Amino acid sequence: AQSVTQLGSHVSVSEGALVLLRCNYSSSVPPYLFWYVQYPNQGLQLLLKYTTGATLVKGINGFEAEFKKSETSFHLTKPSAHMSDAAEYFCAVSDLTDTGFQKLVFGTGTRLLVSP
Amino acid sequence: DGGITQSPKYLFRKEGQNVTLSCEQNLNHDAMYWYRQDPGQGLRLIYYSQIVNDFQKGDIAEGYSVSREKKESFPLTVTSAQKNPTAFYLCASSPGQGLSEQYFGPGTRLTVT
């Protein structure tokens, strides 16, 4: 079964600084990978996803992520943080159930704090 | 507007009572999911349904039950057997088989005292 590790439960940056949120997955078989964002007391919104093809994926709100197979990583970056980026971010990876159904396995999340 | 609705937003119950959380989608998606979210633990899969009249246990199904009588609806019942039911519950849907992303509802925060 797949697992996802998000390093750092909290990441603090200043407004305008680079945002880097780390995600590593367990499988050697390239999975599908996702980043979601969650604002307080709300559901999750898809930021971006990697399926096949180009390893650098661009998403909404200026975020991007790079799939690195050799490192089993899918880190999320944004060149310049904005106050509105403060939220919790979840990395997810596809996994196959016993019945052959694809499900998502989520990391434990990273809370991004942005200071003025 | 297409989307997923969950009601109510906040729910309070006494210990020992069963409670049903609503999830409705108008995206015409085949697959639906229920997750539980606790601080620091991410999202954990409770149940999922690939198609109407079919559902499967996820990773933490004990103390929960579901039904899928209509494509649009996937209600979750938190039974009195669930030892620690206080949590944030999220419903999601996806078009079905294949590696498509999941779309999430706004969630229901359940507090049991």
Side-chain angles (χ1 to χ4, degrees):
Chain A
Q2 285 276 11
S3 66
V4 178
T5 302
Q6 290 185 242
L7 280 177
S9 59
H10 291 80
V11 169
S12 294
V13 300
S14 299
E15 194 172 18
L18 171 72
V19 175
L20 171 60
L21 304 182
R22 298 177 187 275
C23 173
N24 289 85
Y25 61 93
S26 60
S27 173
S28 59
V29 176
Y32 283 23
L33 295 153
F34 305 82
W35 274 101
Y36 284 87
V37 61
Q38 184 182 35
Y39 298 98
N41 290 312
Q42 293 185 28
L44 275 66
Q45 179 185 4
L46 181 71
L47 276 177
L48 49 80
K49 65 177 179 180
Y50 168 79
T51 53
T52 58
T55 57
L56 182 63
V57 181
K58 294 189 185 300
I60 62 171
N61 302 339
F63 284 94
E64 61 183 36
E66 187 171 10
F67 169 61
K68 291 188 176 180
K69 182 180 175 182
S70 60
E71 299 177 7
T72 60
S73 70
F74 191 56
H75 302 331
L76 182 71
T77 60
K78 182 174 180 178
S80 176
H82 193 272
M83 296 294 289
S84 61
D85 294 327
E88 188 150 24
Y89 292 80
F90 291 93
C91 181
V93 63
S94 59
D95 194 18
L96 205 57
T97 67
D98 294 340
T99 58
F101 187 73
Q102 290 283 354
K103 66 174 186 178
L104 293 184
V105 175
F106 286 84
T108 53
T110 297
R111 185 167 298 279
L112 178 65
L113 307 167
V114 183
S115 55
Chain B
D1 267 343
I4 301 176
T5 56
Q6 291 185 244
S7 60
K9 180 70 174 175
Y10 299 93
L11 193 52
F12 298 88
R13 280 293 183 271
K14 295 289 188 186
E15 203 172 303
Q17 293 179 336
N18 290 357
V19 59
T20 297
L21 281 59
S22 167
C23 177
E24 303 278 333
Q25 55 100 357
N26 61 4
L27 300 168
N28 200 33
H29 286 171
D30 284 320
M32 297 187 74
Y33 313 79
W34 273 105
Y35 293 91
R36 171 183 172 134
Q37 185 178 16
D38 297 281
Q41 296 195 46
L43 277 70
R44 292 182 291 168
L45 183 64
I46 304 173
Y47 268 96
Y48 64 95
S49 168
Q50 299 177 56
I51 201 165
V52 175
N53 293 321
D54 178 72
F55 50 82
Q56 305 291 334
K57 291 181 179 180
D59 302 316
I60 56 163
E62 185 175 348
Y64 299 98
S65 66
V66 294
S67 63
R68 186 85 188 277
E69 298 175 0
K70 298 187 299 182
K71 187 174 186 178
E72 308 79 42
S73 179
F74 191 40
L76 173 75
T77 296
V78 184
T79 75
S80 55
Q82 168 51 232
K83 292 186 178 8
N84 187 17
T86 294
F88 190 52
Y89 290 88
L90 287 159
C91 179
S93 71
S94 66
Q97 268 295 357
L99 299 165
S100 53
E101 65 265 29
Q102 294 178 16
Y103 297 78
F104 284 81
T108 291
R109 186 166 297 280
L110 173 65
T111 303
V112 177
T113 57

